[in-house]
Amino acid sequence: DYSKTSSWSVRWTHAQDSKANPYSTFSASVDLSSANNNYYNSTSLNDIANQRKSSSISYSKKWPDLPINISTSLSHNQNSADTTISLTLPNLNVKVSQIYPFRKKNRSGKYKWYENIGFTYALEMKNNIQTKEYMLGDSFKNIAKDWKNGFKHNIPLSLSLKPFNNFSITPSFQYTGIGVLKTIRKNWVEDT
């Protein structure tokens, strides 16, 4: 008597040398496998008992002449005991450091009051799902239906005023916006 099963496993680790490129980084730590892989292919009791796996891949880029920094990551968490998989792909972050849009490049003298108006910008976009291992292939076909996704952006605006020598005023305003691609609407029907 024998039984026939198929299992798979992927392990990958990568760390970029910081001297390779000072303006971009890439790293990966991947540990993926089918739910039954540890049971059939392990050589130690600890490996068989390990039911949780996780992975992450990240990339970031900045530009020396621009105030922009972009980073993206993919992550995975898996529980082999109940074949649950959680995926986040991608998680995108865009950050713009302090900008003063009304300042001239070639200026002379003191800044005018409106030249001290500055803002930063931050954007985060996320797309994730929690599903069973055997349903993962169908989930990629139905991204709009099965995945949870959305974005959040934040724009703080500030102004620095110095009306007197030892006295300064810094008013600020912050806008935060959240958007989702899928919502649930419920209506109350009195009759039923």
Side-chain angles (χ1 to χ4, degrees), residues 90-160:
N91 185 8
L92 175 70
N93 290 287
V94 178
K95 293 185 179 176
V96 178
S97 54
Q98 189 83 14
I99 292 176
Y100 297 94
F102 303 112
R103 287 188 180 175
K104 296 175 184 173
K105 287 185 180 178
N106 301 320
R107 68 168 187 88
S108 60
K110 291 185 176 181
Y111 289 121
K112 295 186 171 57
W113 71 269
Y114 59 85
E115 290 180 309
N116 288 324
I117 295 174
F119 73 92
T120 61
Y121 179 75
L123 168 72
E124 181 182 7
M125 296 174 68
K126 198 176 269 193
N127 187 39
N128 58 15
I129 189 169
Q130 183 169 344
T131 187
K132 297 290 186 179
E133 184 182 303
Y134 65 90
M135 296 170 67
L136 191 59
D138 292 334
S139 297
F140 280 106
K141 294 175 189 171
N142 301 317
I143 287 179
K145 182 181 154 214
D146 296 336
W147 292 66
K148 295 178 182 174
N149 37 40
F151 70 90
K152 174 182 174 183
H153 61 130
N154 190 10
I155 307 171
L157 187 71
S158 64
L159 170 64
S160 179

Side-chain angles (χ1 to χ4, degrees), residues 32-119:
L32 286 165
S33 70
S34 58
N36 61 358
N37 182 68
N38 282 12
Y39 183 76
Y40 290 111
N41 297 309
S42 296
T43 56
S44 74
L45 190 57
N46 287 339
D47 288 345
I48 294 171
N50 181 18
Q51 299 294 318
R52 299 194 179 272
K53 299 199 181 310
S54 63
S55 305
S56 66
I57 300 173
S58 62
Y59 174 77
S60 67
K61 170 88 175 156
K62 61 183 176 181
W63 288 266
D65 302 332
L66 297 173
I68 300 171
N69 186 356
I70 295 175
S71 62
T72 185
S73 63
L74 316 170
S75 64
H76 142 267
N77 288 302
Q78 178 180 359
N79 184 348
S80 298
D82 63 358
T83 69
T84 302
I85 291 182
S86 298
L87 291 175
T88 300
L89 66 122
N91 185 8
L92 175 70
N93 290 287
V94 178
K95 293 185 179 176
V96 178
S97 54
Q98 189 83 14
I99 292 176
Y100 297 94
F102 303 112
R103 287 188 180 175
K104 296 175 184 173
K105 287 185 180 178
N106 301 320
R107 68 168 187 88
S108 60
K110 291 185 176 181
Y111 289 121
K112 295 186 171 57
W113 71 269
Y114 59 85
E115 290 180 309
N116 288 324
I117 295 174
F119 73 92

Side-chain angles (χ1 to χ4, degrees), residues 177-191:
I178 297 173
V180 293
L181 301 180
K182 181 172 63 173
T183 59
I184 297 172
R185 290 179 184 242
K186 295 185 178 185
N187 297 318
W188 175 263
V189 181
E190 280 191 43
D191 298 342

Side-chain angles (χ1 to χ4, degrees), residues 17-36:
D17 188 339
S18 60
K19 291 175 259 176
N21 187 340
Y23 301 112
S24 68
T25 59
F26 177 76
S27 64
S29 174
V30 175
D31 187 5
L32 286 165
S33 70
S34 58
N36 61 358

